[in-house]
Amino acid sequence: VIVTNTRHFESLQHAQSAIYDVQEGIAQQRSTDMLAEDVREALKHLGNITGAIEADRDILGAIFSKFCIGK
């Protein structure tokens, strides 16, 4: 994939960084609240490309209730 829009490229870099933060947080057994904040950050940056995305707390709650992260 070739990204020709500078704004999109920067948003993708920021999203990637936030995803790495999530991966690092999982490895360090951070609380799900902290992980959720990093997920929101990634979604915000992706939303800058695709259109406004509002991460609903219920959706993130459902995701994290299904996975035993850091336990």
Side-chain angles (χ1 to χ4, degrees), residues 31-63:
S31 71
T32 54
D33 291 344
M34 297 298 290
L35 294 173
E37 190 57 39
D38 291 331
V39 170
R40 283 186 197 95
E41 187 71 15
L43 288 172
K44 179 184 82 171
H45 291 296
L46 292 174
N48 288 336
I49 298 169
T50 63
I53 295 176
E54 184 71 29
D56 185 5
R57 290 182 186 266
D58 292 335
I59 293 172
L60 288 174
I63 291 170

Side-chain angles (χ1 to χ4, degrees), residues 5-20:
N5 183 305
T6 301
R7 184 179 59 87
H8 290 176
F9 180 74
E10 290 172 355
S11 291
L12 287 170
Q13 286 181 313
H14 291 298
Q16 182 182 33
S17 177
I19 291 168
Y20 285 145

